[in-house]
Amino acid sequence: PVWPDFRLTDEYAAGFWMVVTLCSLGTSLFAAYRTESRIVRIFAAACLFLHFATEDSRDSIRHGEHGLLWVSLILACLPGITHHGLESRRTQRSWLRIFGTAQFMLLLFYFMAGVVKVLTAVAQSVRGERTLLHPDSGALIIAEWLLRGDAPSLLGRWIVQHRFIAWSGLLGSVALEVLAITPLLWRPMQPLIAIGLIGMHVSIGLSMDVWFPENVALLALLILAGPP
């Protein structure tokens, strides 16, 4: 989403962002200490939202940060933990329900990304344009990105020279994204989808030098190591 924003002069912009960053860090640490307080966690999630919203002054949040933000907002609603742990069954069910909602939201982002890519390919096909089904599509995407970047990736040039590797990687990534929602319907797919999506991020980083460490961490903690 894009919202109206206010502009700070260069004299105050850096200081304002530093204050927001310190508030986000401080409230997050305090929330980790006061695990029994839901209000503190919600306030920490709100500060994280403000940090992302003002990070690069683009009037919106970068798509790579949506997963971390929404998961933080959802997990902020978890019941408080006391030194006795999760005592009642009602509290345990509430934990599992909210944790499952966070898993659903994270996988939904990948599913939506895959569906958008498929719909875009259909629209391109109708217009007579080259789609992701073309064998050169993967190599062209990587080559275009490398030409716009300042630093070459580790394997980008090699993958561009081997177009079928790039193409298979592209088709595999889209298929993984479209299938990302399947663990919600069939739980045995959960670790396979998690490993596949983590591998997708690693391959994108090696070929295009675009890294999403927050997404990899969320996939590992929520999906791979999370409850089924």
Side-chain angles (χ1 to χ4, degrees):
V2 178
W3 50 79
D5 71 327
F6 62 93
R7 298 291 177 177
L8 295 174
T9 61
D10 293 339
E11 181 181 359
Y12 300 104
F16 176 76
W17 186 80
M18 182 59 67
V19 170
V20 171
T21 302
L22 291 176
C23 287
S24 177
L25 179 61
T27 54
S28 297
L29 293 175
F30 189 57
Y33 172 72
R34 292 292 302 274
T35 56
E36 74 280 4
S37 176
R38 181 182 295 177
I39 297 298
V40 173
R41 291 198 300 272
I42 293 176
F43 185 67
C47 288
L48 181 65
F49 171 79
L50 183 60
H51 167 74
F52 285 156
T54 59
E55 185 176 9
D56 53 11
S57 299
R58 294 181 181 178
D59 312 335
S60 62
I61 295 174
R62 293 181 296 187
H63 74 278
E65 295 168 343
H66 280 287
L68 180 59
L69 175 61
W70 281 98
V71 167
S72 299
L73 292 172
I74 293 171
L75 295 184
C77 300
L78 285 170
I81 307 176
T82 65
H83 62 280
H84 297 295
L86 302 177
E87 295 178 330
S88 67
R89 288 186 176 274
R90 181 178 179 182
T91 303
Q92 294 173 3
R93 287 195 298 268
S94 180
W95 260 75
L96 291 175
R97 185 164 54 249
I98 295 175
F99 205 89
T101 303
Q103 291 177 316
F104 167 76
M105 185 61 67
L106 180 61
L107 294 176
L108 182 63
F109 284 131
Y110 287 98
F111 173 72
M112 292 171 62
V115 170
V116 168
K117 290 182 177 68
V118 172
L119 294 178
T120 300
V122 172
Q124 290 172 333
S125 178
V126 171
R127 295 193 299 265
E129 300 174 359
R130 179 176 295 174
T131 71
L132 56 83
L133 296 178
H134 194 281
D136 291 335
S137 56
L140 289 174
I141 292 174
I142 297 174
E144 181 184 2
W145 182 265
L146 294 179
L147 289 174
R148 292 190 300 173
D150 298 327
S153 63
L154 184 62
L155 299 177
R157 292 182 180 274
W158 182 83
I159 294 178
V160 169
Q161 294 172 358
H162 299 78
R163 62 172 187 162
F164 285 105
I165 295 179
W167 186 40
S168 60
L170 174 62
L171 295 180
S173 297
V174 175
L176 273 172
E177 290 177 333
V178 173
L179 295 174
I181 208 76
T182 54
L184 303 176
L185 305 174
W186 193 44
R187 285 299 181 179
M189 287 290 292
Q190 183 170 319
L192 298 177
I193 291 295
I195 294 173
L197 291 173
I198 291 173
M200 179 190 73
H201 281 299
V202 173
S203 63
I204 291 174
L206 293 175
S207 60
M208 303 175 68
D209 198 33
V210 179
W211 299 93
F212 294 98
E214 301 93 342
N215 294 53
V216 172
L218 289 174
L219 287 168
L221 293 174
L222 289 180
I223 311 302
L224 185 59

